[in-house]
């Protein structure tokens, strides 16, 4: 299953045994009120009331007399604690405990058997009470009204010392929220009591709203204020001292006027008929530490043929409205759409129908989100009862009394990769595994194994490109949250292929209007995201187009003999050396693949240029990051690119049991070498499109495998089209390893004529063959005659012993000998010391003999 729910708390396992032991102890002691006298047949009254910011869980149950028992489960010590017992048969609407566990707030109503359950009857009251529980002492009535009230204590972010003042939120069904300031003092040692119970200051926080959501972790109140013509989402941030600020207002293009009053995450909401949940809209707000702000909205279900839901990506400036086809309806499935916050993702789930894993960090392309539907087991993996998404990926199932932690199932997703046939699902799962992985090295190894065996399986995108770009991005993303604006997340920037079972419409939306001017933490990151949407046109994502232009310019200057300044070139070479050193420091195990065994100046040049350009790009746009840290991030990023290529090769090399000594050209290629050669060719295609550097020695290894695996005409075609590069190291080895059979002579000559002149002259000296001698002779003669000026000469030719009776040749050789005698120092300097006129004469005669067939 793609999503796994790990149980953090279960009422039946973590509370019931304790309650039974308390009841047994109370019965044995004969003490009244010493513990809850819960009957075996009354355990269905046990239910969760609230989950506080520190993770503690408040629950309630009734004894055989109907008395209401309040208990607390400490998530750290995993111990239960009796908080208070109301000796009346009341129904609990809401409950909260302050962080010191000295005060308990609760709202209760009289239980009535007439009419609907929990419906307030005329004249009945909803009592909101504040109780001193350390020890149990006074009870103060905060409100007694005919409408429901929900309570919630504010929790400070620092719990190092007891607070003299507590702050309690009251949310009324009458569409207002107010905050009570509650001061406490200590009496008689550790006894905590209200300082001035007769007068508790209060202030109005919000009013005229129809929907509100509490964020327990970040202590924020979101609510929707109905204006004349539109709905407006607002957010209030509470600080540790109880002060609060309205942070933003954001218009919402949704209709809430006829939806009634709705609260989210204010404890257990069992006041509505859960069977009719599908008739009500679903609305919730999700954020994460990177400054995302998502509002998920699903209107009332109008048709069971399809379902529509909208996600407002305020941090990106657009919304996406999805329409999913449902097909047949299973009457046994609870028809309630669930949104779950999973940090970088939001899960949209309709049991028995579909599971949609939305990438909220990079929501632009639908292929980066995973949509599963039909008979796949994943669409039935969660409980069918309504789930409530809390902070920190916590999921609460009120009906079963279980608190889960939702995590993406990495093993399932990896297995899913091997089985799925759709490119869009491969893309989505690849990113999901990389972004949410808890063991990056293990997951990368698994992905590389899959890529090596499925390198040609994707038709809509390049699998190697996508893996290299995505994995490199996530390797340094945690360093700074702004990296998603500056580095590419994917190699794909457009997706036109339809996703089966779902359609979407993307619309621009108005950005939230920030109401404060000083930002810290999450708000600073959200504001940065909003500023980027406003002003960053075009996008600031790095690409290698500048590197491509500069690299080609430097290679061209190298061929023509021109050089840049020594300082500039030294800086580029030093960058490359730092990358290779950084890469070697990452990998202490020896590699089987024969890489990094030659200079490969062109690849080192490309590495150094990429480091230089990327560093300038990040320094230009990253704010508040030290230069040294930025430089290290760049080295890590480029090193990661190269390391991933090395890992892909190393995995395939080890799988096929290859060894460097196997690459002798005199033997026939194996099927394993064909496979590795094909993989290297795909790596080359992927990196060339993005203009990424390759590990030094890659082209030599690729060429050696190509000579093994390809017939001559194909091999030459690869050479002529630049797929295989004739590096000096590769050609030198070929000349030494290959004998002078007719087939190999053709290959050697075909290689030599394709070499640049300078390298060709060096290589010819390694091949003891008339053809090589002919080429050397021609080059020697060209150099001698380059600046030759004709001088008057005697008509008589001195014939040396053994000379050939061929006057044109004799005359030509004599001229060469004269030039050699006057330019001997220059020729020695240029490396012609082993070639002279006699060598030219012998080569000419041999060549003529061959041409005449003598």
């Amino acid at each position: 299953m793609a999503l796994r729910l790990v149980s953090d708390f279960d009422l039946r396992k973590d509370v019931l045994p304790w309650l039974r032991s308390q009841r047994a102890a109370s019965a044995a002691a004969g003490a009244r009120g010493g513990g809850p006298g819960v009957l075996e047949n009354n355990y269905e009254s046990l239910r969760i009331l609230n989950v506080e910011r520190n993770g503690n869980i408040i629950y309630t149950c009734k004894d055989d007399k109907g008395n209401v028992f309040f208990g607390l489960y400490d998530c750290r010590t995993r111990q239960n604690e009796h908080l208070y017992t109301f000796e009346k048969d009341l129904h609990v609407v809401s409950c909260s405990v302050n962080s010191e566990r000295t005060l308990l707030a609760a709202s209760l109503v009289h239980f009535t058997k007439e009419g609907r359950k929990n419906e307030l009857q005329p004249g009945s009251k909803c009592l909101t009470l504040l109780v001193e529980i350390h020890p149990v002492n006074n009870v103060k009535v905060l409100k007694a009204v005919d409408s429901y009230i929900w309570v919630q204590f504010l929790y400070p972010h620092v719990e190092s010392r007891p607070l003299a003042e507590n702050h309690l939120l009251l949310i009324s069904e009458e569409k207002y929220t107010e905050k009570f300031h509650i001061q406490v003092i200590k009496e008689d040692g550790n006894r905590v009591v209200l300082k001035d119970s007769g007068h508790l200051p209060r202030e109005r926080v919000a009013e005229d709203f129809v929907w509100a959501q509490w964020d327990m972790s970040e202590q924020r109140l979101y609510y929707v204020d109905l204006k004349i013509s539109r709905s407006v989402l607002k957010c209030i941030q509470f600080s540790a001292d109880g002060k609060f600020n309205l942070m933003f207002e954001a218009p919402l293009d949704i209709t809430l006027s006829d939806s009634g009053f709705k609260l989210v995450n204010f404890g257990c909401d069992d006041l509505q008929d859960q069977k009719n949940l599908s008739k009500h809209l679903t609305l919730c707000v999700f954020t994460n530490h990177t400054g995302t702000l998502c509002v998920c909205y699903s209107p009332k279900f109008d048709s069971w043929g399809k379902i529509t839901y909208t996600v407002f990506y305020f941090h990106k400036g657009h919304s996406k409205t999805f329409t999913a086809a449902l097909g047949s309806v299973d009457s046994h499935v609870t028809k309630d759409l669930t949104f779950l916050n999973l940090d970088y993702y939001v899960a949209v789930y309709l049991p028995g129908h579909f599971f949609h894993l939305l990438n909220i960090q990079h929501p632009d392309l639908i292929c980066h989100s995973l949509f599963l539907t039909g008979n796949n087991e994943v669409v039935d993996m969660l409980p069918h009862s309504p789930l409530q998404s809390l902070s920190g990926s916590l999921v609460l199932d009120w009906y079963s009394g279980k608190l889960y932690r939702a995590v993406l199932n990495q093993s399932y997703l990896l297995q899913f990769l091997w089985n799925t046939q759709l490119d869009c699902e491969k893309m989505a799962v690849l990113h999901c595994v990389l972004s949410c992985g808890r063991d990056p090295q293990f997951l990368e190894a698994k992905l590389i194994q899959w890529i090596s065996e499925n390198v040609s399986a994707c038709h809509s995108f390049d699998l190697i490109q996508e893996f290299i770009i995505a994995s490199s991005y996530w390797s340094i993303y945690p360093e700074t949250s702004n990296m998603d604006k500056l580095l590419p997340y994917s190699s794909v920037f457009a997706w036109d292929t339809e996703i089966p079972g779902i359609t979407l419409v993307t619309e621009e939306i108005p950005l939230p209007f920030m109401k404060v001017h000083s930002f810290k933490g999450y708000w600073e990151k959200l504001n940065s995201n909003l500023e980027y949407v406003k002003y960053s046109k075009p996008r600031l994502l790095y690409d290698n187009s500048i590197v491509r232009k500069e690299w080609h310019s430097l290679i061209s200057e190298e061929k023509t003999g021109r050089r840049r300044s020594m300082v500039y070139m030294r800086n580029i070479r030093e960058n490359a050396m730092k990358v290779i050193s950084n890469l070697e420091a990452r990998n202490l195990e020896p590699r089987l693949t024969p890489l990094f065994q030659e200079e490969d100046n062109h690849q080192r040049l490309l590495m150094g240029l990429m480091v230089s350009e990327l560093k300038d790009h990040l320094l230009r746009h990253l704010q508040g990051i030290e230069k040294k840290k930025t430089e290290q991030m760049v080295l890590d990023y480029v090193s990661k690119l190269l390391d991933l290529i090395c890992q892909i090769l190393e995995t395939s090399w080890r799988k096929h049991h290859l060894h460097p000594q196997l690459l002798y050209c005199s033997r026939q290629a194996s099927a394993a070498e064909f496979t590795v050669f094909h993989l290297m060719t795909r790596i080359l295609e992927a990196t060339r499109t993005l203009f990424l550097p390759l590990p030094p020695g890659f082209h030599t290894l690729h060429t050696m495998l190509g000579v093994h695996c390809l017939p001559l005409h194909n091999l030459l075609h690869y050479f002529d089209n630049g797929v295989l590069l004739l590096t000096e190291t590769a050609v030198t080895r070929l000349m030494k390893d290959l004998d002078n059979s007719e087939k190999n002579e053709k290959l050697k000559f075909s290689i030599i004529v394709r070499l640049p002149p300078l390298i060709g002259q060096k290589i010819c000296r390694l091949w003891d063959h008339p053809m090589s001698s002919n080429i050397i002779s021609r080059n020697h003669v060209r150099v001698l005659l380059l600046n030759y000026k004709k001088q008057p000469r005697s008509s008589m030719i001195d014939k040396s012993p053994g000379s050939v009776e061929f006057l044109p040749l004799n005359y030509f050789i004599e001229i060469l000998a004269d030039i050699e005698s006057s330019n001997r120092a220059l020729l020695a300097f240029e490396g012609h010391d082993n070639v002279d006129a006699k060598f030219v004469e012998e080569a000419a005669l041999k060549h003529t003999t061959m041409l005449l067939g003598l």
Side-chain angles (χ1 to χ4, degrees):
M1 297 182 290
L3 191 63
R4 190 160 52 94
L5 297 182
V6 180
S7 179
D8 270 9
F9 171 79
D10 186 345
L11 274 176
R12 302 291 172 181
K13 295 180 180 180
D14 297 315
V15 175
L16 265 183
W18 178 78
L19 286 176
R20 289 184 175 128
S21 66
Q22 290 290 301
R23 176 176 178 267
S26 175
R32 296 186 58 188
V38 184
L39 291 178
E40 290 292 332
N41 59 2
N42 203 26
Y43 284 135
E44 63 270 12
S45 67
L46 180 63
R47 62 187 178 95
I48 296 175
L49 290 176
N50 201 358
V51 180
E52 300 287 8
R53 180 179 179 271
N54 56 14
N56 292 341
I57 299 167
I58 303 172
Y59 55 87
T60 184
C61 63
K62 291 185 178 183
D63 62 14
D64 52 347
K65 298 179 181 179
N67 298 329
V68 180
F69 170 86
F70 290 95
L72 180 142
Y73 177 80
D74 191 316
C75 66
R76 296 175 184 173
T77 64
R78 298 200 170 272
Q79 299 295 317
N80 287 278
E81 178 183 337
H82 175 210
L83 296 177
Y84 189 72
T85 298
F86 281 100
E87 296 183 351
K88 289 184 179 181
D89 189 359
L90 300 172
H91 179 77
V92 183
V93 176
S94 176
C95 182
S96 183
V97 177
N98 66 344
S99 58
E100 292 85 10
R101 303 185 201 174
T102 58
L103 298 175
L104 179 144
S107 58
L108 307 99
V109 296
H110 292 287
F111 183 84
T112 59
K113 296 182 180 179
E114 296 80 10
R116 284 187 354 183
K117 181 181 178 181
N118 304 327
E119 183 178 359
L120 286 177
Q121 300 300 309
S124 64
K125 300 289 184 181
C126 177
L127 296 175
T128 305
L129 306 176
L130 183 63
V131 186
E132 300 169 353
I133 59 172
H134 189 73
V136 173
N137 194 27
N138 296 322
V139 177
K140 177 176 176 58
V141 178
L142 296 180
K143 281 188 179 293
V145 293
D146 290 334
S147 56
Y148 289 112
I149 299 290
W150 289 262
V151 294
Q152 178 63 57
F153 272 104
L154 298 182
Y155 273 58
H157 287 268
V158 179
E159 301 180 12
S160 58
R161 57 185 178 84
L163 298 177
E165 187 174 53
N166 291 268
H167 304 276
L168 177 68
L169 293 182
L170 266 65
I171 301 90
S172 171
E173 193 180 22
E174 297 296 327
K175 303 179 182 178
Y176 69 85
T177 300
E178 56 186 7
K179 182 166 70 73
F180 280 80
H181 302 256
I182 306 166
Q183 290 188 321
V184 295
I185 57 174
K186 284 188 176 182
E187 293 180 351
D188 303 331
N190 291 326
R191 182 182 178 189
V192 178
V193 298
L194 299 177
K195 182 178 180 180
D196 185 4
S197 60
H199 176 68
L200 297 180
R202 70 181 76 178
E203 58 183 318
R204 190 62 61 99
V205 174
E207 54 189 1
D208 296 331
F209 58 86
V210 295
W211 173 94
Q213 175 180 317
W214 176 244
D215 186 333
M216 68 171 186
S217 177
E218 301 301 330
Q219 300 286 280
R220 298 180 192 137
L221 175 67
Y222 300 96
Y223 63 97
V224 174
D225 189 358
L226 286 181
K227 298 296 183 182
I228 297 176
S229 58
R230 62 179 181 177
S231 302
V232 178
L233 175 68
K234 298 181 179 181
C235 176
I236 290 177
Q237 175 73 68
F238 295 92
S239 56
D241 59 3
K243 295 181 180 178
F244 59 90
N245 291 296
L246 177 63
M247 301 304 295
F248 69 77
E249 294 182 355
L252 278 177
D253 186 17
I254 60 177
T255 302
L256 292 176
S257 57
D258 59 347
S259 62
F261 184 72
K262 176 86 174 190
L263 295 180
V264 179
N265 292 352
F266 279 99
C268 178
D269 185 7
D270 67 341
L271 302 179
Q272 299 177 9
D273 187 355
Q274 298 289 358
K275 295 181 180 179
N276 296 320
L277 274 177
S278 59
K279 297 180 181 179
H280 296 80
L281 60 84
T282 302
L283 181 67
C284 48
V285 179
F286 294 139
T287 63
N288 70 18
H289 64 283
T290 64
T292 61
L293 175 61
C294 289
V295 177
C296 302
Y297 167 70
S298 175
K300 298 176 182 178
F301 292 9
D302 295 326
S303 168
W304 277 113
K306 60 183 180 180
I307 185 172
T308 299
Y309 50 97
T310 301
V311 180
F312 297 87
Y313 301 99
F314 280 109
H315 58 290
K316 294 293 184 179
H318 65 254
S319 68
K320 291 184 181 293
T321 299
F322 302 92
T323 301
L326 298 181
S328 61
V329 179
D330 183 353
S331 59
H332 299 290
V333 175
T334 303
K335 305 172 184 64
D336 181 31
L337 192 67
T338 299
F339 295 101
L340 301 177
N341 186 9
L342 304 174
D343 199 14
Y344 293 130
Y345 286 83
V346 165
V348 187
Y349 176 59
L350 188 63
H353 294 281
F354 68 82
F355 176 82
H356 198 179
L357 197 59
L358 292 169
N359 188 330
I360 62 173
Q361 201 70 21
H362 300 277
D364 295 343
L365 300 183
I366 192 173
C367 60
H368 292 148
S369 299
L370 178 64
F371 183 80
L372 300 175
T373 186
N375 297 324
N376 195 305
E377 63 174 355
V378 77
V379 302
D380 257 336
M381 63 190 167
L382 297 178
H384 286 196
S385 55
L387 301 176
Q388 183 171 328
S389 184
L390 306 178
S391 304
S393 300
L394 290 176
V395 177
L396 188 56
D397 185 345
W398 294 111
Y399 283 155
S400 67
K402 294 180 181 180
L403 181 67
Y404 301 98
R405 189 169 301 277
V407 294
L408 291 169
N409 191 337
Q410 303 293 350
S411 59
Y412 175 87
L413 291 173
L414 289 171
Q415 185 62 40
F416 186 82
L417 270 179
W418 288 90
N419 298 327
T420 184
Q421 300 299 317
L422 297 177
D423 284 0
C424 58
E425 292 180 351
K426 295 172 185 174
M427 169 83 80
V429 173
L430 176 66
H431 282 276
C432 184
V433 170
L434 289 172
S435 63
C436 301
R438 291 168 294 281
D439 187 355
Q441 291 184 344
F442 170 79
L443 293 173
E444 282 179 357
K446 291 295 184 181
L447 289 173
I448 287 172
Q449 181 183 356
W450 171 67
I451 290 170
S452 300
E453 299 186 24
N454 297 273
V455 68
S456 302
C458 295
H459 306 288
S460 306
F461 65 98
D462 189 302
L463 191 54
I464 295 177
Q465 275 187 0
E466 195 66 18
F467 172 69
I468 290 174
I469 292 297
S471 187
S472 300
Y473 169 88
W474 283 109
S475 69
I476 66 168
Y477 177 78
E479 300 289 335
T480 170
S481 60
N482 288 327
M483 203 59 74
D484 62 328
K485 307 175 187 67
L486 303 177
L487 284 179
Y489 165 81
S490 171
S491 64
V492 176
F493 295 101
W495 187 272
D496 299 325
T497 308
E498 291 186 0
I499 308 296
I502 193 169
T503 59
L504 72 88
V505 175
T506 303
E507 296 178 309
E508 288 191 5
I509 57 175
L511 296 178
F513 177 70
M514 304 305 293
K515 304 291 286 186
V516 296
H517 303 289
S518 178
F519 305 101
K520 291 182 180 180
Y522 165 81
W523 298 111
E524 182 180 8
K525 295 174 182 177
L526 173 61
N527 187 63
S528 174
N529 289 334
L530 299 179
E531 293 292 309
Y532 178 79
V533 174
K534 285 181 188 177
Y535 303 116
S536 296
K537 307 287 185 180
R539 298 192 303 175
L540 302 178
L541 288 182
Y542 172 81
D543 66 66
N544 263 359
S545 58
I546 299 178
V547 173
R548 185 194 302 266
K549 182 179 179 181
E550 182 70 2
W551 186 80
H552 283 302
S553 177
L554 290 173
I555 298 300
S556 176
E557 291 174 7
E558 181 182 278
K559 292 178 180 178
T560 57
R562 292 183 296 161
R563 294 284 182 180
R564 296 287 181 94
S565 71
M566 297 200 50
V567 174
Y568 176 78
M569 295 305 298
R570 184 172 63 248
N571 181 53
I572 298 300
R573 286 192 292 268
E574 288 177 353
N575 287 341
M577 290 176 61
K578 289 178 182 178
V579 169
I580 293 175
S581 298
N582 197 43
L583 181 58
E584 290 175 347
R586 287 169 171 257
N587 299 277
L588 302 178
E589 296 183 5
R591 299 183 190 274
L592 279 181
T593 47
L595 300 173
F596 300 97
Q597 296 179 5
E598 61 182 279
E599 283 295 315
D600 203 341
N601 290 324
H602 286 181
Q603 289 306 312
R604 287 175 180 261
L605 185 63
L606 183 53
M607 276 182 230
L609 284 173
M610 185 172 180
V611 170
S612 180
E613 292 297 334
L614 181 55
K615 181 171 64 177
D616 291 344
H617 176 74
L618 295 186
L619 289 174
R620 191 161 51 245
H621 299 293
L622 272 182
Q623 303 296 326
I625 306 294
E626 294 180 2
K627 181 179 179 181
K628 187 175 181 180
K629 182 178 180 181
T630 301
E631 291 174 347
Q632 186 59 46
M633 283 195 296
V634 171
L635 289 177
D636 290 342
Y637 183 78
V638 180
S639 299
K640 185 67 176 181
L641 289 171
L642 292 168
D643 184 48
L644 291 171
I645 295 171
C646 293
Q647 285 187 52
I648 294 173
L649 276 179
E650 189 75 10
T651 299
S652 184
W653 201 270
R654 290 180 183 275
K655 177 186 175 182
H656 296 290
H657 307 291
L658 296 186
H659 196 273
Q661 277 69 28
L662 296 176
L663 294 179
Y664 286 108
C665 300
S666 57
R667 47 177 293 279
Q668 188 69 28
S670 64
E673 289 169 339
F674 272 101
T675 302
V676 175
F677 173 73
H678 175 66
L679 177 65
M680 293 189 73
T681 304
R682 294 302 301 262
I683 291 174
L684 183 66
E685 292 174 0
T687 54
R688 275 192 174 170
T689 305
L690 301 174
F691 210 71
L692 300 176
L694 289 163
F698 180 94
H699 286 297
T700 294
L701 181 59
H702 192 209
T703 297
M704 297 300 292
L705 282 171
V707 172
H708 269 278
C709 300
L710 299 175
L712 181 60
H713 64 282
N714 284 33
L715 181 66
L716 299 181
H717 182 70
Y718 273 52
F719 286 148
D720 294 337
N721 286 276
V723 179
L724 294 175
L725 297 187
L726 290 168
T727 65
E728 186 174 343
T729 303
V731 176
T732 299
R733 187 166 176 180
L734 288 172
M735 294 300 164
K736 291 180 178 180
D737 287 354
L738 295 176
D739 58 24
N740 286 331
S741 64
E742 181 179 356
K743 176 183 176 183
N744 288 342
E745 282 184 356
K746 290 181 180 180
L747 171 61
K748 289 182 178 181
F749 180 71
S750 300
I751 288 174
I752 286 176
V753 298
R754 285 168 169 79
L755 293 175
L758 290 177
I759 297 179
Q761 291 178 33
K762 293 181 184 179
I763 298 302
C764 283
R765 297 171 188 275
L766 302 175
W767 185 22
D768 184 15
H769 190 271
M771 188 64 69
S772 177
S773 300
N774 185 32
I775 295 172
I776 294 172
S777 299
R778 288 175 181 272
N779 288 332
H780 182 70
V781 171
R782 181 182 59 79
V783 172
L784 289 178
L785 299 180
L786 192 61
N787 297 312
Y788 172 66
K789 294 182 180 179
K790 188 174 181 181
Q791 302 291 337
R793 305 183 62 82
S794 170
S795 58
M796 296 299 295
I797 300 175
D798 295 331
K799 294 193 292 181
S800 58
S803 61
V804 180
E805 293 289 341
F806 184 48
L807 295 183
L809 178 60
N810 293 343
Y811 181 73
F812 182 61
I813 295 302
E814 183 179 350
I815 292 175
L816 294 182
D818 288 344
I819 298 174
E820 286 176 351
S821 62
S822 59
N823 294 279
R824 194 167 302 279
L826 176 62
L827 292 174
F829 176 76
E830 293 185 354
H832 293 259
D833 51 316
N834 293 324
V835 183
D836 55 15
K838 184 66 176 174
F839 180 89
V840 173
E841 181 181 21
E842 293 176 356
L845 290 172
K846 287 181 180 179
H847 185 62
T848 303
T849 303
M850 290 172 59
L851 291 176
L852 295 176
L854 300 177

